[in-house]
Amino acid sequence: MKTILVTGGAGYIGSHTIVDLLKSGYEVISVDNHYNSIALSYDLIQKLAGKSFKKYNIDIAQENALKVVFEENDIHGIIHFAALKSVPDSVANPIFCFKNNNNATLNIGDYALKYGVQNIVFSSSCSVYGNVEPADLPVQEQTKIRKAESPYAYSKQNGEVYLESLTDISDLKVLALRYFNPVGADDSGELGEFPSKHSNNLVPIITQTAIGLRDHMMVFGKDWNTRDGSCVRDYIHVSDIAEAHVLALKKLFEEDYESKFEVVNLGSGAGVTVFEAINSFEKMSGVKVNVKVGKRRDGDVESIYSWPVKAKELLNWAAKKDVDTMMDSAWKWQKKLIELGFNATKL
Ligand code: NAD
Ligand code: WQD
C-alpha cells in the first residue's frame, strides 16, 4: 500500500484526513511541530481508525528538517496542510507568517523533487480570491484572483504559484484544494478541533458560548446587504473536506491522469448567514445561545460561496453533510472537550 506524508497531521483538517487515509488502507507519516495542535490528536485519530502511524515532531519550515523523513521513508504522495492559518496573526506578524508558510511549502516542493515524489495535494483557501464582489459569486476556479487581503492569503497564492512552477520542470503533479469554511467535527464526537489562541472562527465561538465558556457571542454586523443582514459563508463539514483529500490522491495516482496542476474549490455551493448558522446550532443542540449584535469586523467580506462543479467533475466529490450535521457534530465535540478537561476557550 502507498505511503502518504501528511504535514500538519495533528491539526484540525489533517487529523480528520489521516483517519480517512488509514481507513482507506494508506500508510501515513505525519509531521507536525505542534505550533497549533497537541499530540493528543494522534491518540484520538488512532482510536478512531483502529490503526497506528508514524509521527515526526519537526518544524518543516527549517531548511533540511525534512531530510530525515524522506531518507527514512518511501513516500508516494504528500498532503501539505502545515501552515499558520490565523488571518489576524498574519496581519500582526507578516514575517512569521511568510517565514513559516512560504518556507514550509518551499521545502516540501524541494524535497518532493529531490526524492522523486510526484504527487502533492496542497491546502489552499478561498482567501486566494481576495475581496470578492457580488458579481464574482458563486466563486469559480477561473474567477479573477484579486489582491490578497492578508499575508496569510498571500502565502496561499504564493504556494500555488510556487508548486505550479515546479510542475513545469519535473514529473510533479499538484492538486491545490481551495477550502471555503471548514467546520464541525467527526460525527462520532471523538475528534475535532482543539481550542486555540490562534482561532476566532464562528463555530467554536458558538459552541463555547452554548456550553458557558463565554458569556455571550457577537454577530459581526447585521447591516450587510444579505437576506438577514449578517455575512454569508460556504460552510463545509471537515469530514467532507477530509474525503476530498483521499479522492484527490486517488486522482493523482490514476495512471492516465495527466494534468500537472489544477486548483479545485471545496465548498457546498450554498451560502449560509451567521444567523442561520446560529439557528441551526440551537435547533440541533436544544441550547439557546446568548447572541449580541456588534459592529462589522475589519476585513470581513459580505458574502462568499463557491461554485463546486469542478470538484464533482474532476474528483467525483461533493459535500454530503448539511449545516445541521455540522452543528450537531461541533456540539458533540464541544462536550467531549469538556470531558477531556478543556475548560477554557483557548489553549
Ligand atoms: P491547524 O492549525 O489546525 O493545522 C495546521 C497544523 O500545521 C498544526 O497542527 C500546526 O502545528 C502545523 N504546522 C504549522 N506550521 C508548521 C511547521 N512549520 N512545521 C510543522 N508543522 C507545522 O489548521 P487547519 O485548520 O487544519 O488547516 C490546515 C490547512 O488548511 C492550512 O494550510 C490552512 O491554511 C488551510 N485552510 C484552513 C481553513 C480553515 O478554516 N481551517 C480554510 C482554508 C484553508
Ligand atoms: C465566519 C463568519 C464572521 C466570529 C476564515 C479565514 C479564511 C478561511 C476560513 C483559511 C463571518 C462571522 C465570526 C464571531 C461572527 N481560512 N463571525 N462572530 O472569516 O469567513 O474565514 O476562515 O484559509 O481565510 O478568513 O471565518 O469563522 O472567522 O467567520 O459574527 O464571533 O462568522 O463575520 O461572517 P471567515 P470565521
Side-chain angles (χ1 to χ4, degrees), residues 7-14 31-37 58-61 80-85 100-101 104 123-126 152 156 179-182 193 201:
T7 75
Y12 176 42
I13 304 172
V31 295
D32 201 305
N33 64 353
H34 301 300
Y35 175 83
N36 197 36
S37 57
I58 54 172
D59 177 354
I60 66 164
H80 177 37
F81 291 108
L84 306 182
K85 67 170 170 176
N100 190 77
N101 294 4
S123 285
S124 191
S125 157
C126 63
Y152 167 78
K156 292 294 173 187
Y179 325 148
F180 279 66
N181 285 57
E193 183 170 30
N201 292 123

Short mmCIF file of all heavy atoms in Angstrom, two decimals, residues 7-14 31-37 58-61 80-85 100-101 104 123-126 152 156 179-182 193 201, ligand 1:
data_model
loop_
_atom_site.label_atom_id
_atom_site.label_comp_id
_atom_site.label_asym_id
_atom_site.label_seq_id
_atom_site.Cartn_x
_atom_site.Cartn_y
_atom_site.Cartn_z
N THR A 7 1.70 16.69 6.19
CA THR A 7 2.28 17.74 7.02
C THR A 7 1.13 18.43 7.78
O THR A 7 0.04 18.60 7.22
CB THR A 7 3.04 18.79 6.19
OG1 THR A 7 2.09 19.63 5.51
CG2 THR A 7 3.98 18.15 5.18
N GLY A 8 1.38 18.75 9.05
CA GLY A 8 0.30 19.35 9.85
C GLY A 8 -0.77 18.33 10.21
O GLY A 8 -1.94 18.68 10.38
N GLY A 9 -0.36 17.09 10.38
CA GLY A 9 -1.32 15.99 10.59
C GLY A 9 -2.00 15.98 11.95
O GLY A 9 -3.00 15.29 12.13
N ALA A 10 -1.44 16.74 12.91
CA ALA A 10 -2.10 16.80 14.22
C ALA A 10 -3.14 17.91 14.28
O ALA A 10 -3.87 18.04 15.25
CB ALA A 10 -1.07 17.01 15.33
N GLY A 11 -3.19 18.72 13.23
CA GLY A 11 -4.11 19.86 13.21
C GLY A 11 -5.55 19.44 12.89
O GLY A 11 -5.86 18.25 12.75
N TYR A 12 -6.37 20.44 12.75
CA TYR A 12 -7.82 20.22 12.61
C TYR A 12 -8.15 19.38 11.36
O TYR A 12 -8.70 18.27 11.45
CB TYR A 12 -8.49 21.60 12.53
CG TYR A 12 -9.96 21.61 12.29
CD1 TYR A 12 -10.82 20.72 12.92
CD2 TYR A 12 -10.52 22.58 11.43
CE1 TYR A 12 -12.19 20.77 12.70
CE2 TYR A 12 -11.88 22.64 11.21
CZ TYR A 12 -12.71 21.73 11.84
OH TYR A 12 -14.06 21.79 11.61
N ILE A 13 -7.79 19.86 10.19
CA ILE A 13 -8.19 19.14 8.97
C ILE A 13 -7.28 17.93 8.76
O ILE A 13 -7.73 16.85 8.34
CB ILE A 13 -8.17 20.10 7.75
CG1 ILE A 13 -9.08 21.31 8.03
CG2 ILE A 13 -8.65 19.37 6.49
CD1 ILE A 13 -8.99 22.42 7.00
N GLY A 14 -5.99 18.10 9.09
CA GLY A 14 -5.06 16.98 8.94
C GLY A 14 -5.49 15.76 9.73
O GLY A 14 -5.44 14.63 9.23
N VAL A 31 3.98 14.80 9.96
CA VAL A 31 4.98 15.71 10.53
C VAL A 31 4.25 16.95 11.04
O VAL A 31 3.40 17.51 10.35
CB VAL A 31 6.09 16.12 9.54
CG1 VAL A 31 6.93 14.94 9.14
CG2 VAL A 31 5.53 16.80 8.31
N ASP A 32 4.56 17.32 12.27
CA ASP A 32 3.90 18.48 12.88
C ASP A 32 4.79 18.98 14.01
O ASP A 32 5.37 18.17 14.74
CB ASP A 32 2.52 18.07 13.43
CG ASP A 32 1.58 19.26 13.59
OD1 ASP A 32 1.97 20.22 14.29
OD2 ASP A 32 0.46 19.22 13.04
N ASN A 33 4.93 20.29 14.15
CA ASN A 33 5.72 20.82 15.27
C ASN A 33 4.82 21.27 16.42
O ASN A 33 5.28 21.87 17.38
CB ASN A 33 6.63 21.98 14.82
CG ASN A 33 5.83 23.18 14.34
OD1 ASN A 33 4.61 23.12 14.21
ND2 ASN A 33 6.51 24.29 14.08
N HIS A 34 3.53 21.01 16.29
CA HIS A 34 2.54 21.33 17.33
C HIS A 34 2.50 22.80 17.69
O HIS A 34 2.18 23.17 18.81
CB HIS A 34 2.76 20.45 18.57
CG HIS A 34 2.65 19.00 18.24
ND1 HIS A 34 1.52 18.43 17.72
CD2 HIS A 34 3.56 18.00 18.30
CE1 HIS A 34 1.73 17.15 17.47
NE2 HIS A 34 2.96 16.86 17.81
N TYR A 35 2.80 23.63 16.72
CA TYR A 35 2.63 25.07 16.96
C TYR A 35 1.16 25.37 17.24
O TYR A 35 0.82 26.19 18.08
CB TYR A 35 3.12 25.88 15.74
CG TYR A 35 2.85 27.35 15.90
CD1 TYR A 35 3.72 28.16 16.63
CD2 TYR A 35 1.68 27.93 15.38
CE1 TYR A 35 3.46 29.50 16.82
CE2 TYR A 35 1.42 29.28 15.57
CZ TYR A 35 2.31 30.05 16.29
OH TYR A 35 2.03 31.38 16.49
N ASN A 36 0.28 24.70 16.51
CA ASN A 36 -1.16 24.94 16.71
C ASN A 36 -1.93 23.62 16.87
O ASN A 36 -3.04 23.48 16.36
CB ASN A 36 -1.73 25.73 15.53
CG ASN A 36 -3.07 26.36 15.87
OD1 ASN A 36 -3.29 26.80 17.01
ND2 ASN A 36 -3.99 26.40 14.92
N SER A 37 -1.31 22.69 17.59
CA SER A 37 -2.01 21.41 17.80
C SER A 37 -1.36 20.71 18.99
O SER A 37 -0.29 21.14 19.45
CB SER A 37 -1.89 20.51 16.56
OG SER A 37 -0.53 20.30 16.22
N ILE A 58 8.71 17.87 13.93
CA ILE A 58 9.72 18.75 13.33
C ILE A 58 9.07 19.99 12.74
O ILE A 58 7.89 19.98 12.39
CB ILE A 58 10.54 18.04 12.21
CG1 ILE A 58 9.61 17.45 11.16
CG2 ILE A 58 11.49 17.01 12.75
CD1 ILE A 58 10.36 16.92 9.95
N ASP A 59 9.88 21.02 12.63
CA ASP A 59 9.43 22.27 12.00
C ASP A 59 9.86 22.22 10.54
O ASP A 59 11.05 22.39 10.22
CB ASP A 59 10.09 23.45 12.73
CG ASP A 59 9.73 24.78 12.09
OD1 ASP A 59 9.09 24.79 11.02
OD2 ASP A 59 10.13 25.81 12.65
N ILE A 60 8.91 22.02 9.65
CA ILE A 60 9.28 21.80 8.24
C ILE A 60 9.68 23.10 7.53
O ILE A 60 10.13 23.06 6.40
CB ILE A 60 8.16 21.09 7.46
CG1 ILE A 60 6.91 21.95 7.34
CG2 ILE A 60 7.85 19.73 8.07
CD1 ILE A 60 5.96 21.46 6.27
N ALA A 61 9.50 24.23 8.22
CA ALA A 61 9.96 25.50 7.63
C ALA A 61 11.49 25.63 7.75
O ALA A 61 12.09 26.47 7.09
CB ALA A 61 9.28 26.68 8.29
N HIS A 80 -0.06 18.47 1.96
CA HIS A 80 0.64 19.54 2.68
C HIS A 80 -0.35 20.52 3.33
O HIS A 80 -0.82 21.47 2.71
CB HIS A 80 1.56 20.27 1.68
CG HIS A 80 2.27 21.43 2.28
ND1 HIS A 80 2.76 21.43 3.56
CD2 HIS A 80 2.59 22.66 1.75
CE1 HIS A 80 3.33 22.60 3.81
NE2 HIS A 80 3.23 23.35 2.73
N PHE A 81 -0.65 20.22 4.61
CA PHE A 81 -1.55 21.09 5.39
C PHE A 81 -0.78 22.14 6.18
O PHE A 81 -1.34 23.20 6.48
CB PHE A 81 -2.32 20.27 6.43
CG PHE A 81 -3.34 19.31 5.90
CD1 PHE A 81 -3.12 17.94 5.93
CD2 PHE A 81 -4.55 19.77 5.40
CE1 PHE A 81 -4.08 17.05 5.47
CE2 PHE A 81 -5.51 18.89 4.93
CZ PHE A 81 -5.27 17.52 4.96
N ALA A 82 0.45 21.82 6.61
CA ALA A 82 1.11 22.63 7.64
C ALA A 82 1.23 24.10 7.23
O ALA A 82 1.84 24.43 6.22
CB ALA A 82 2.49 22.07 7.94
N ALA A 83 0.62 24.95 8.02
CA ALA A 83 0.67 26.39 7.79
C ALA A 83 0.13 27.08 9.03
O ALA A 83 -0.58 26.44 9.83
CB ALA A 83 -0.17 26.78 6.58
N LEU A 84 0.45 28.35 9.17
CA LEU A 84 -0.21 29.15 10.20
C LEU A 84 -1.43 29.74 9.52
O LEU A 84 -1.31 30.41 8.50
CB LEU A 84 0.72 30.26 10.68
CG LEU A 84 2.09 29.80 11.17
CD1 LEU A 84 2.90 30.99 11.66
CD2 LEU A 84 1.94 28.76 12.27
N LYS A 85 -2.62 29.49 10.09
CA LYS A 85 -3.84 29.82 9.35
C LYS A 85 -4.56 31.06 9.87
O LYS A 85 -5.57 31.47 9.30
CB LYS A 85 -4.80 28.64 9.37
CG LYS A 85 -5.36 28.35 10.76
CD LYS A 85 -6.48 27.33 10.71
CE LYS A 85 -6.87 26.87 12.10
NZ LYS A 85 -7.99 25.97 12.11
N ASN A 100 7.10 31.02 7.93
CA ASN A 100 6.58 29.68 8.18
C ASN A 100 5.91 29.10 6.93
O ASN A 100 6.28 28.04 6.44
CB ASN A 100 5.60 29.70 9.34
CG ASN A 100 5.22 28.28 9.77
OD1 ASN A 100 6.00 27.62 10.45
ND2 ASN A 100 4.07 27.80 9.33
N ASN A 101 4.91 29.80 6.42
CA ASN A 101 4.09 29.21 5.35
C ASN A 101 4.87 29.07 4.05
O ASN A 101 4.80 28.04 3.38
CB ASN A 101 2.82 30.03 5.13
CG ASN A 101 1.89 29.97 6.33
OD1 ASN A 101 2.23 29.37 7.35
ND2 ASN A 101 0.73 30.56 6.22
N ALA A 104 7.81 26.51 4.53
CA ALA A 104 7.30 25.12 4.64
C ALA A 104 6.97 24.59 3.25
O ALA A 104 7.37 23.48 2.87
CB ALA A 104 6.07 25.09 5.54
N SER A 123 -3.07 22.36 0.56
CA SER A 123 -4.17 23.07 1.23
C SER A 123 -4.18 24.51 0.82
O SER A 123 -3.39 25.31 1.33
CB SER A 123 -3.93 23.10 2.75
OG SER A 123 -4.18 21.89 3.33
N SER A 124 -5.07 24.86 -0.07
CA SER A 124 -5.22 26.27 -0.38
C SER A 124 -6.53 26.76 0.24
O SER A 124 -7.13 26.05 1.06
CB SER A 124 -5.15 26.49 -1.89
OG SER A 124 -5.04 27.87 -2.16
N SER A 125 -6.95 27.93 -0.15
CA SER A 125 -8.03 28.55 0.61
C SER A 125 -8.83 29.49 -0.29
O SER A 125 -8.28 30.09 -1.23
CB SER A 125 -7.36 29.35 1.74
OG SER A 125 -8.20 30.37 2.21
N CYS A 126 -10.09 29.65 0.06
CA CYS A 126 -10.92 30.61 -0.68
C CYS A 126 -10.38 32.03 -0.51
O CYS A 126 -10.75 32.93 -1.27
CB CYS A 126 -12.37 30.54 -0.21
SG CYS A 126 -12.59 31.01 1.50
N TYR A 152 -1.54 36.06 5.13
CA TYR A 152 -1.94 34.64 5.07
C TYR A 152 -2.43 34.27 3.67
O TYR A 152 -1.98 33.29 3.07
CB TYR A 152 -3.04 34.36 6.11
CG TYR A 152 -3.70 33.02 5.88
CD1 TYR A 152 -3.06 31.85 6.25
CD2 TYR A 152 -4.93 32.93 5.22
CE1 TYR A 152 -3.64 30.61 5.99
CE2 TYR A 152 -5.52 31.70 4.95
CZ TYR A 152 -4.87 30.55 5.34
OH TYR A 152 -5.44 29.32 5.07
N LYS A 156 -0.87 31.72 0.57
CA LYS A 156 -1.57 30.64 -0.17
C LYS A 156 -1.46 30.88 -1.68
O LYS A 156 -1.25 29.95 -2.44
CB LYS A 156 -3.03 30.55 0.26
CG LYS A 156 -3.22 30.07 1.69
CD LYS A 156 -2.75 28.63 1.84
CE LYS A 156 -2.75 28.16 3.27
NZ LYS A 156 -2.15 26.83 3.48
N TYR A 179 -10.24 25.43 0.10
CA TYR A 179 -11.36 25.20 1.01
C TYR A 179 -12.09 26.50 1.28
O TYR A 179 -11.46 27.54 1.45
CB TYR A 179 -10.95 24.66 2.38
CG TYR A 179 -9.78 23.72 2.44
CD1 TYR A 179 -8.96 23.72 3.56
CD2 TYR A 179 -9.51 22.80 1.44
CE1 TYR A 179 -7.89 22.86 3.68
CE2 TYR A 179 -8.44 21.93 1.54
CZ TYR A 179 -7.63 21.97 2.65
OH TYR A 179 -6.57 21.13 2.77
N PHE A 180 -13.39 26.39 1.44
CA PHE A 180 -14.17 27.54 1.89
C PHE A 180 -14.17 27.54 3.43
O PHE A 180 -13.10 27.69 4.00
CB PHE A 180 -15.53 27.56 1.17
CG PHE A 180 -15.35 28.15 -0.21
CD1 PHE A 180 -14.58 27.48 -1.18
CD2 PHE A 180 -15.83 29.41 -0.54
CE1 PHE A 180 -14.31 28.05 -2.43
CE2 PHE A 180 -15.58 29.98 -1.78
CZ PHE A 180 -14.82 29.31 -2.72
N ASN A 181 -15.26 27.35 4.13
CA ASN A 181 -15.20 27.44 5.60
C ASN A 181 -15.39 26.07 6.26
O ASN A 181 -16.52 25.67 6.54
CB ASN A 181 -16.26 28.41 6.13
CG ASN A 181 -15.87 29.86 5.90
OD1 ASN A 181 -15.64 30.27 4.76
ND2 ASN A 181 -15.80 30.64 6.97
N PRO A 182 -14.30 25.35 6.53
CA PRO A 182 -14.43 24.02 7.15
C PRO A 182 -14.89 24.16 8.60
O PRO A 182 -14.35 24.96 9.36
CB PRO A 182 -13.00 23.46 7.12
CG PRO A 182 -12.22 24.36 6.21
CD PRO A 182 -12.89 25.69 6.26
N GLU A 193 -11.57 19.95 16.49
CA GLU A 193 -10.51 20.96 16.62
C GLU A 193 -10.33 21.34 18.08
O GLU A 193 -11.32 21.65 18.77
CB GLU A 193 -10.88 22.20 15.80
CG GLU A 193 -9.79 23.27 15.84
CD GLU A 193 -10.03 24.41 14.85
OE1 GLU A 193 -11.21 24.70 14.57
OE2 GLU A 193 -9.04 25.00 14.38
N ASN A 201 -12.80 31.60 14.96
CA ASN A 201 -13.80 31.17 13.98
C ASN A 201 -15.17 31.04 14.62
O ASN A 201 -15.31 30.79 15.82
CB ASN A 201 -13.39 29.84 13.33
CG ASN A 201 -12.17 30.00 12.44
OD1 ASN A 201 -11.17 29.32 12.65
ND2 ASN A 201 -12.23 30.90 11.49
P1 NAD B 1 -4.41 23.79 12.01
O1 NAD B 1 -3.68 24.95 12.57
O2 NAD B 1 -5.36 23.07 12.88
O3 NAD B 1 -3.37 22.70 11.44
C1 NAD B 1 -2.15 23.05 10.86
C2 NAD B 1 -1.08 22.21 11.53
O4 NAD B 1 0.18 22.52 10.93
C3 NAD B 1 -0.95 22.47 13.02
O5 NAD B 1 -1.02 21.24 13.70
C4 NAD B 1 0.41 23.14 13.17
O6 NAD B 1 1.02 22.81 14.40
C5 NAD B 1 1.16 22.57 11.96
N1 NAD B 1 2.25 23.42 11.49
C6 NAD B 1 2.21 24.72 11.16
N2 NAD B 1 3.42 25.13 10.75
C7 NAD B 1 4.26 24.05 10.83
C8 NAD B 1 5.63 23.85 10.55
N3 NAD B 1 6.41 24.83 10.14
N4 NAD B 1 6.15 22.61 10.73
C9 NAD B 1 5.37 21.59 11.16
N5 NAD B 1 4.06 21.73 11.44
C10 NAD B 1 3.51 22.95 11.28
O7 NAD B 1 -5.12 24.26 10.67
P2 NAD B 1 -6.22 23.52 9.80
O8 NAD B 1 -7.50 24.20 10.01
O9 NAD B 1 -6.11 22.06 9.99
O10 NAD B 1 -5.71 23.93 8.35
C11 NAD B 1 -4.93 23.06 7.56
C12 NAD B 1 -4.54 23.76 6.29
O11 NAD B 1 -5.73 24.18 5.61
C13 NAD B 1 -3.73 25.03 6.47
O12 NAD B 1 -2.79 25.11 5.43
C14 NAD B 1 -4.74 26.14 6.36
O13 NAD B 1 -4.15 27.33 5.93
C15 NAD B 1 -5.66 25.56 5.31
N6 NAD B 1 -7.03 26.10 5.37
C16 NAD B 1 -7.72 26.05 6.53
C17 NAD B 1 -9.01 26.58 6.60
C18 NAD B 1 -9.79 26.58 7.89
O14 NAD B 1 -10.70 27.40 8.03
N7 NAD B 1 -9.50 25.70 8.84
C19 NAD B 1 -9.58 27.14 5.45
C20 NAD B 1 -8.85 27.17 4.27
C21 NAD B 1 -7.57 26.64 4.24
#
